[in-house]
Amino acid sequence: MPAPFSTAPASSAIPILFATASTWDKVAATLPAPAREFATANGFSAKPGECLTLPGESGKLGFVLFGLEDDAAKADPFRAGQLPAKLPKGTYRFANAPHDARLAALAFALGSYRFGRYKKAEPYEVSLVPPEGIDTDELARMADAAALARDLINTPPNDMGPDELADTAKALADEFGAAWHCVGGEELAREFPLIHAVGMASTRAPRLIDFSWGDASHPKVTLVGKGVCFDTGGLDLKPSSAMLIMKKDMGGAANVLALARMVMGAKLKVRLRVLIPAVENSVAGNAFRPLDVFTSRKGLTVEIGNTDAEGRLVLADALTLACEDNPDLLIDMGTLTGAARVALGPDLPPFYTNDEALAADVARHARQENDPLWRLPLWQPYDAWLDSKVADINNAPSGGFAGSITCALFMQRFVTAETRWLHADIYGWTPSAKPARPEGGECQGARAFYKLLSERYG
């Protein structure tokens, strides 16, 4: 879905006037008398999200009024994402400034998204002439990347298994001339035992997607995304209610592909590598079992404490491979733990790193991009909870404490000490619609990470 930005002259676009409860009288005074009277007759009061179309002198659509929060500090910068669903067909412009014009324009694009693969969903026939001074190309990259992530997550697992995920990744690699490699079969079982163990019970074979792009002389940036296309929980079977949105368990892969699209589209000066372990965690006679022990690619033996803690297993082998290439920066993303949702809710994914400068930069870009992320600690005293009596490490410590932290600590065991590493435990899903964020699959963290990479390697 292309971003809905127009190159039409601003003078030909229908003006959108933003108002708050406290500025409404001032905004109303700028309107022609008939339009002002129409707004009064319709009871417009500039409540956040309130939208009213006003006739112009000829009787055609002349103005749009849209309400915002009074307190900018508490405002939703994406409030304008409600506009595409509220506006009649046409081309629009911002006639005055919302709280943040750049984020409002991005929200307009993000709010134009519709998923219509299985049920007819007519696209919103609206476009926006962006405010002056805004990098429209960058906003279009962000919106198009978000649409890619949302489409991938929203697609059900019968049409988005390891094969289809690999096909999508290859299409993206081919679009930008990236070098493609995919490991499966006996080679996967031999070289990536944990990925193979998680995916071996499925009739759809596991694989490791691997593509590289950019000048080999540029700093190496490696992205790793969890690609569990459906998660039953394995033999530690999830209850049916917990399986209902498990099509989103490849949300890490979807967001990594969205991030890669932004990086390659912007031609950042990096040697980009993307690694995605693509599997389905199924139940069959050959499924891996609790208390099984596997030797990982790194050589660490891993006892299976819970087959539903499979994401960290497939990422462990991929992280080991990533570190063998000595990247300048390693970023992984995955829909990993319910504990992260309990701690921070669905809209605020935690991230982890031991690099203080990197942590500060991530937090800053997350705030600036309205792409929330919150740092949690790699609390080393909890590392002992991963101890196993029969192996080097257990993938799921007993007890319900600090689940997101212990998952991050597990993965840290597979990252070399000298590697600059950033880990995000995302949800990848919007449970109920919000401005610019429709219910369903979501792009989380990718925009903040893209701006981080743009600042460091642009």
Side-chain angles (χ1 to χ4, degrees):
M1 176 186 294
F5 295 124
S6 173
T7 57
S11 58
S12 67
I14 301 163
I16 298 171
L17 286 161
F18 296 100
T20 69
S22 63
T23 64
W24 166 228
D25 288 343
K26 184 177 180 181
V27 171
T30 67
L31 296 170
R36 185 167 61 250
E37 291 173 6
F38 185 90
T40 300
N42 280 273
F44 183 81
S45 60
K47 292 183 293 186
E50 186 180 7
C51 186
L52 180 65
T53 55
L54 303 177
E57 292 181 1
S58 66
K60 295 181 179 180
L61 179 57
F63 307 89
V64 174
L65 299 176
F66 189 73
L68 298 176
E69 297 87 347
D70 245 324
D71 186 347
K74 297 180 180 179
D76 184 347
F78 278 176
R79 178 66 63 186
Q82 294 178 294
L83 282 165
K86 293 175 178 283
L87 295 175
K89 177 180 178 180
T91 300
Y92 297 85
R93 64 179 173 88
F94 296 163
N96 61 350
H99 294 306
D100 185 312
R102 177 179 173 275
L103 290 179
L106 175 61
F108 191 99
L110 294 173
S112 298
Y113 172 83
R114 304 200 79 185
F115 183 66
R117 179 166 177 171
Y118 303 96
K119 184 177 180 180
K120 189 174 182 180
E122 295 293 341
Y124 300 121
E125 296 184 87
V126 295
S127 59
L128 179 71
V129 178
E132 291 185 7
I134 288 176
D135 187 344
T136 309
D137 289 341
E138 180 176 72
L139 296 191
R141 277 195 298 274
M142 290 181 169
D144 291 345
L148 170 65
R150 289 169 171 177
D151 281 349
L152 288 170
I153 298 169
N154 286 330
T155 301
N158 59 310
D159 286 331
M160 187 50 63
D163 277 334
E164 292 82 2
L165 182 56
D167 289 344
T168 302
K170 188 175 189 306
L172 181 64
D174 290 345
E175 179 182 349
F176 290 96
W180 170 263
H181 185 56
C182 192
V183 182
E186 292 183 4
E187 182 183 0
L188 184 80
R190 182 177 64 253
E191 300 294 334
F192 303 96
L194 297 181
I195 298 174
H196 178 262
V198 171
M200 64 186 177
S202 175
T203 56
R204 298 190 286 182
R207 72 224 43 215
L208 177 66
I209 296 162
D210 182 356
F211 67 85
S212 298
W213 170 90
D215 191 324
S217 67
H218 289 158
K220 296 176 183 176
V221 173
T222 299
L223 311 178
V224 180
K226 174 187 171 184
V228 178
C229 296
F230 190 77
D231 181 22
T232 65
L235 293 178
D236 286 307
L237 194 68
K238 293 178 182 289
S240 59
S241 60
M243 280 193 224
L244 287 177
I245 56 171
M246 278 301 100
K247 66 180 183 179
K248 80 170 186 64
D249 215 24
M250 39 66 69
N255 277 270
V256 157
L257 290 174
L259 177 53
R261 170 172 280 283
M262 287 185 274
V263 168
M264 294 187 292
K267 297 181 172 63
L268 297 188
K269 295 175 182 177
V270 297
R271 176 61 172 175
L272 181 71
R273 189 179 191 185
V274 176
L275 299 172
I276 296 173
V279 304
E280 183 174 38
N281 188 18
S282 297
V283 178
N286 65 329
F288 75 123
R289 296 164 288 257
L291 302 186
D292 279 351
V293 176
F294 296 94
T295 301
S296 67
R297 179 179 178 86
K298 189 172 182 178
L300 292 176
T301 54
V302 180
E303 181 184 19
I304 306 303
N306 191 317
T307 62
D308 196 21
E310 85 298 331
R312 66 197 69 182
L313 295 172
V314 299
L315 288 174
D317 272 353
L319 289 170
T320 299
L321 175 64
C323 290
E324 291 168 10
D325 201 31
N326 298 314
D328 185 67
L329 177 61
L330 172 58
I331 300 174
D332 80 75
M333 304 180 75
T335 52
L336 286 158
T337 70
R341 316 291 78 85
V342 172
L344 298 177
D347 301 336
L348 183 58
F351 75 94
Y352 298 83
T353 182
N354 275 334
D355 186 310
E356 297 301 320
L358 180 60
D361 286 345
V362 169
R364 172 168 52 86
H365 288 299
R367 288 192 302 271
Q368 292 173 352
E369 296 303 312
N370 195 36
D371 194 10
L373 293 162
W374 193 266
R375 188 186 186 188
L376 288 183
L378 287 161
W379 187 248
Q380 289 304 315
Y382 294 165
D383 187 73
W385 295 359
L386 297 168
D387 288 349
S388 165
K389 295 179 180 179
V390 299
D392 293 322
I393 191 171
N394 190 295
N395 79 319
S398 60
F401 292 138
S404 182
I405 294 174
T406 54
C407 175
L409 290 168
F410 177 90
M411 292 165 60
Q412 188 181 40
R413 294 278 194 102
F414 298 87
V415 177
T416 56
E418 63 272 15
T419 299
R420 186 180 291 108
W421 173 55
L422 174 61
H423 160 59
D425 187 348
I426 66 170
Y427 193 46
W429 191 262
T430 299
S432 57
K434 301 175 178 64
R437 292 151 290 192
E439 181 180 343
E442 191 52 274
C443 188
Q444 287 186 313
R447 288 185 294 105
F449 293 158
Y450 163 70
K451 292 299 287 185
L452 168 79
L453 297 177
S454 297
E455 182 177 76
R456 292 192 169 201
Y457 307 109

